[in-house]
Amino acid sequence: MFDIFDLECIVRILISAICGSFIGIERKVRLKEAGTRTHLVVAFGSALFMIVSKYGFEDMIVRAADNPAISFDPTRIASTIVTGIGFLGAGTIFVRRNVINGLTTAAGLWSTAAVGMAIGAGQYIIGISAAVILTFLQWFLHSSKLIARASTTLMIFKLAPCEKPFDKLEKLLNQYGIIVKSVNFEKNSNNECKIECVVKMPAKLSHIELSDELCANDFILGVEF
């Protein structure tokens, strides 16, 4: 029988979904693997699991009170959410040439699950506040120049035939404050070089502007990040 409490549970799920999508929008703007829909579904599912965990076993609680032989712990459903989201988050993390990407997105999914659990448990203020704070912190830490730091990334260069191509490239990169950590060198039949570099570059550098400036050099035929 539908009652006012069922309506409240539906509202909890909807609020969780809205908070999850709010967090996901920030990730989508950054072109991350898990965006609005993924975060929405994570928060939605976490809220639903929490509601089932908290209120779905009331009949069993009554039976357990009358029969000591019955022993169960419905809170296990809530505890397994943390583990389950860990597998989903692992899918957003990938490693290429010793460069790790996706850690922040994975942590964001994990925290989004916590937001959904809080709202599913009826802690609206905590859940909504956590969603707002998490979104703000991810945006601020990514955008703030006060705490900007060097980042490790992979750059792939296609170079025209020339003498000591890597030395010329490294010297050019150093002018922009880019430090080469490791390199993979290939040369084709036309003596054109393909160089893959794992580099540490200042956070203030724009990939687009840097690509334009690097390609202005005659010996650089192409750049890929």
Side-chain angles (χ1 to χ4, degrees):
M1 189 70 179
F2 188 84
D3 57 23
I4 191 67
F5 180 71
D6 293 325
L7 179 61
E8 182 183 351
C9 289
I10 294 174
V11 170
R12 292 183 187 183
I13 294 173
L14 288 175
I15 294 175
S16 297
I18 292 171
C19 289
S21 63
F22 186 60
I23 297 169
I25 288 173
E26 188 275 339
R27 293 285 87 191
K28 185 177 181 179
V29 169
R30 306 294 180 197
L31 302 178
K32 300 302 181 180
E33 294 74 22
T36 306
R37 287 181 295 177
T38 304
H39 284 79
L40 184 154
V41 173
V42 166
F44 178 97
S46 298
L48 182 57
F49 276 125
M50 195 66 185
I51 290 171
V52 172
S53 176
K54 192 173 182 180
Y55 305 110
F57 299 91
E58 292 183 349
D59 56 334
M60 292 298 296
I61 293 175
V62 173
R63 291 185 182 182
D66 298 331
N67 188 350
I70 299 178
S71 177
F72 70 100
D73 182 11
T75 60
R76 289 180 181 177
I77 295 178
S79 66
T80 55
I81 295 174
V82 179
T83 305
I85 293 299
F87 286 101
L88 180 62
T92 67
I93 302 173
F94 62 94
V95 181
R96 185 183 181 192
R97 298 279 184 186
N98 297 322
V99 179
I100 301 175
N101 293 286
L103 284 175
T104 303
T105 300
L109 285 173
W110 189 58
S111 299
T112 300
V115 169
M117 292 174 67
I119 297 175
Q123 297 177 306
Y124 296 102
I125 295 177
I126 293 177
I128 294 173
S129 299
V132 173
I133 293 171
L134 176 59
T135 305
F136 171 76
L137 288 177
Q138 290 200 117
W139 168 82
F140 178 78
L141 294 174
H142 188 277
S143 304
S144 177
K145 295 183 179 180
L146 296 176
I147 54 176
R149 60 185 181 86
S151 59
T152 302
T153 188
L154 176 68
M155 299 181 70
I156 302 175
F157 297 90
K158 184 179 179 181
L159 305 181
C162 62
E163 293 185 4
K164 299 182 178 180
F166 177 69
D167 290 342
K168 292 180 65 175
L169 178 62
E170 185 176 29
K171 184 177 180 180
L172 179 61
L173 293 177
N174 288 342
Q175 294 177 7
Y176 294 93
I178 301 173
I179 301 173
V180 178
K181 307 293 290 185
S182 64
V183 62
N184 183 47
F185 186 94
E186 295 179 7
K187 182 179 288 188
N188 61 23
S189 57
N190 297 324
N191 285 327
E192 293 179 346
C193 300
K194 179 183 177 183
I195 298 180
E196 296 184 0
C197 300
V198 175
V199 301
K200 200 164 189 177
M201 58 186 300
K204 63 181 180 180
L205 280 179
S206 167
H207 286 192
I208 297 176
E209 294 179 1
L210 179 62
S211 298
D212 291 339
E213 292 185 18
L214 290 176
C215 289
N217 294 270
D218 294 336
F219 75 100
I220 298 181
L221 302 179
V223 181
E224 178 184 344
F225 285 89

